[in-house]
Amino acid sequence: MDTGSSKRMVEIAGVSKLFGTVAAVSDATLHVDRGDFLTVVGPSGCGKTTLLRMIAGFEHPDAGEIRIGGRRVDAVPPYRRSIGMVFQKLALFPHMTAAENVAYPLKMRRFAPAKIPGLVDEYLGLVRLGDFKDRRPHELSGGQQQRVAIARALVFSPDLLLLDEPLSALDRKLREDMQLEFRRIQQELGVTTINVTHDQREALVMSDRIVVMEGGVIQQADDPVSLYRQPGTPFVARFIGVTSMFPGRVTKETGEAVTVAAGEATLTARGGGAVLGAGAAVECAIRAEQIAIGPRDGAPRFENAVDGIVRQRIFEGERMVYAVEVPGLGGAVLNVFDHDPVSHSVYDETQPVRLEWAARDLIAFPAGPAPAVTTENKPTGSLTT
Amino acid sequence: MKYPLSWRLLDGLEAAAAVLWPARLRRLTAWGLLAPALVLVGVLVIGLGYMLEYSLHELDLATYRLTEAYSLTNYQTILDRPVYARVLGRTLLGAVLVTAIAVALAFPYAYALVRTRSAALRKALLVALFLPFFIGQVVRAYGWLIVLGREGLVNSALAGMGLPTVDLLFTYPAVIFGLVQYMLPFAILLLVPALAAIPEDMELASESLGARWISTFRHVVIPMAKPGLIGASVVVFTLTLTDFAMPEILGGGTSDFIASAIYDSFFQISNPGLGAALSMVLVTLGSLIVAGVFLVAGTGTLGVRGAK
């Protein structure tokens, strides 16, 4: 193929999978570079788990091809693929100790028996479980079980590590600790990793690259910062971060910037990719942290300004989350984060306020063939965690 | 406020229960629910007590009544007559063989039933599993008589092909065959929940860790199915050990099991003392073997968790 193929550990080209008449994955194309941590993120049922199971070899693509380390794996059974997998429910063998669980892949893969105890100790040490090697899974805490599962998946030095939402069952604090722990181990060993999750925050925290999937289709693939700054579709804008959406129509287009009429307001936005001519219907997206909230009589700070009424206020400590109804935008409710609740004024429910934001922060997407099904118009402070 | 009728009915029942069974009696509820079972088992224990009593009295051949005096004569008779040792040995061997064959055959069936993705296949397997329960043991045994008899289907087929006919009935293998066929559904029924309790991810994990299916079976599926395997073995073993109809009908007197000997003692030679003694030997032997299995396999058997 191309000259860069040696640094590609995984290449997926045009892969589709049908269950009955439903396409779980359609025409997915993506690649993972050697040593990268890639996260496939999307809501449940978006096809991310099916994609992962095809890479692992538990499902077979109906179309397209999957290459691992340059080798086509369509006809390769799972036990011959060099893949370590951590399952959602971990799937630790309950009748084996931690050490026996970790030794299992070494025995199955016919490692020299003399080498096995040393490798088991090394990897249990890597996950800081050296003192727990003789415990059975049910004698270990949730976090310790996670560590055994990851040691078991890595001990035979696989080409690729697959994570199928293993952290989703943990409570928040432990989940955040384990995210960093997984990342530390992954970087220490330099193992190429594909992680699957519905948790956008986990995707942002852990990944070198993120792939957003919805309805079996890859929406966008990019590094976390670019993805957050430049969402390619309204879905990505809504799914990553807390974003408010409202409909509008282009009245004037001047290069990068477009003028949008939305309700009674006239706003300046940047085009989200496609060329938008005058008269085009658009969906506008604005992130909660890009909106400045203030009194109606303040001096103007940004290009765009609308007046609204506070409908809900949630105090989260490090930030204040407002839901502000804007009659001038057809009654759309915008989510607003104020990241300095210590020195800024606090606005209570029913209080009139002015919302302002910069033109570059409002993204105008061409409206899809169908009208937008939902706009994120509820206060969603907890959504980000 | 208008609640659905079923809610109001349940509220009424709860109110009535609160009057009839006040809260202070509530800790007795569990015992109350257990009582019928305890009474049933209690009656059985009383019956067993009577059997023990009978077994300690010799038959007076003059009056054909049991003598008043206590003696161990009946047990001595069992030890002295080689026929009883033979019957007992035949019964034990039969129980071991039937258990091994039935459980071995039941395992793939139960596995297919649990793991198949085809709803049609699962239904077919379930129907085939429950069908035999609608047909009594005796009817089934007579069915085998028709198939295996001298003029039966098998021999007619053999004769049709110009081959010599064979005596299939009234042999030990025929009894074992009939018993395996009879026990198979029990074994499957006990294995299905044990296999269903193994998440499919365990097998996928094993596979992705480098194990072929045969290694996965040996190292993951079978160890995790152990409670079901032991439960099925114990049930099939004890049912076979005490079976009467199959050896009687398919064995035709050539391959009597201990239950036949007990029946004969009571009703053919009218010696209830000897019959009771044989029964006690059977109960003791069965209990010891089952207790031994539970001791070795631990209390986790049959999926009863709690004491580890």
Side-chain angles (χ1 to χ4, degrees), chain A residues 101-375:
Chain A
N101 264 287
V102 176
Y104 187 83
L106 300 175
K107 286 181 186 149
M108 291 302 128
R109 288 171 187 270
R110 305 283 180 268
F111 277 59
K115 281 190 181 163
I116 291 177
L119 278 168
V120 169
D121 285 345
E122 183 189 333
Y123 277 81
L124 281 174
L126 178 76
V127 297
R128 304 177 193 167
L129 274 182
D131 298 335
F132 297 90
K133 53 188 292 187
D134 294 325
R135 300 258 185 108
R136 298 271 171 96
H138 68 91
E139 296 165 325
L140 296 170
S141 73
Q144 290 166 337
Q145 291 179 10
Q146 299 273 342
R147 291 161 192 269
V148 178
I150 191 153
R152 187 180 71 172
L154 288 172
V155 67
F156 57 97
S157 303
D159 289 342
L160 182 62
L161 175 67
L162 301 181
L163 308 174
D164 183 12
E165 301 204 48
L167 302 176
S168 59
L170 299 178
D171 62 67
R172 181 179 159 181
K173 179 78 181 76
L174 189 54
R175 187 167 67 233
E176 289 175 0
D177 289 350
M178 288 308 294
Q179 285 170 0
L180 299 178
E181 180 79 359
F182 271 45
R183 187 68 168 137
R184 172 186 73 82
I185 294 165
Q186 188 266 335
Q187 284 176 328
E188 208 168 307
L189 299 175
V191 60
T192 314
T193 303
I194 300 178
N195 176 39
V196 151
T197 184
H198 61 267
D199 181 346
Q200 50 127 339
R201 194 189 139 83
E202 180 181 315
L204 293 171
V205 168
M206 294 175 81
S207 320
D208 294 311
R209 282 177 75 238
I210 297 177
V211 170
V212 182
M213 274 186 90
E214 207 240 344
V217 178
I218 291 179
Q219 300 267 326
Q220 192 175 358
D222 217 329
D223 70 273
V225 174
S226 305
L227 190 84
Y228 194 89
R229 284 186 176 166
Q230 265 140 8
T233 67
F235 176 81
V236 175
R238 273 200 303 270
F239 193 76
I240 306 286
V242 175
T243 308
S244 304
M245 314 277 299
F246 51 86
R249 191 165 290 280
V250 175
T251 56
K252 202 171 75 175
E253 182 254 324
T254 45
E256 267 277 279
V258 287
T259 308
V260 176
E264 296 146 27
T266 302
L267 305 167
T268 315
R270 78 177 142 104
V275 179
L276 296 163
V282 290
E283 265 193 89
C284 301
I286 178 72
R287 294 211 186 275
E289 69 273 18
Q290 302 305 119
I291 303 178
I293 187 167
R296 286 194 177 172
D297 51 9
R301 288 177 282 176
F302 294 109
E303 294 93 326
N304 295 312
V306 291
D307 286 343
I309 295 155
V310 175
R311 288 298 176 209
Q312 198 174 21
R313 172 173 77 73
I314 298 166
F315 182 49
E316 291 185 350
E318 80 279 12
R319 71 181 177 198
M320 193 70 81
V321 179
Y322 295 102
V324 179
E325 186 182 337
V326 182
L329 286 177
V333 176
L334 306 189
N335 294 300
V336 180
F337 293 161
D338 181 353
H339 281 285
D340 191 357
V342 177
S343 49
H344 288 178
S345 312
V346 169
Y347 303 93
D348 289 320
E349 272 98 350
T350 74
Q351 217 168 319
V353 291
R354 176 159 294 166
L355 304 180
E356 291 176 277
W357 60 84
R360 62 167 192 278
D361 294 329
L362 183 68
I363 308 174
F365 294 105
V373 185
T374 51
T375 38

Side-chain angles (χ1 to χ4, degrees), chain B residues 27-99:
Chain B
R27 59 201 179 82
L28 298 177
T29 307
W31 287 109
L33 293 172
L34 262 181
L38 289 178
V39 169
L40 265 177
V41 172
V43 170
L44 267 177
V45 169
I46 293 170
L48 208 58
Y50 272 101
M51 291 290 261
L52 180 63
E53 231 283 316
Y54 282 175
S55 75
L56 295 173
H57 297 285
E58 195 188 344
L59 185 72
D60 184 345
L61 285 173
T63 60
Y64 258 84
R65 294 253 166 100
L66 295 179
T67 50
E68 291 286 318
Y70 285 96
S71 76
L72 289 172
T73 320
N74 290 321
Y75 292 97
Q76 193 59 50
T77 311
I78 295 171
L79 283 180
D80 286 348
R81 300 233 192 107
V83 61
Y84 290 120
R86 216 160 52 230
V87 169
L88 211 57
R90 187 191 292 141
T91 309
L92 276 174
L93 177 68
V96 169
L97 284 175
V98 169
T99 304

Side-chain angles (χ1 to χ4, degrees), chain B residues 178-193:
Chain B
L179 278 167
V180 166
Q181 192 263 343
Y182 178 59
M183 296 301 169
L184 199 54
F186 292 101
I188 295 168
L189 268 184
L190 283 153
L191 278 174
V192 162

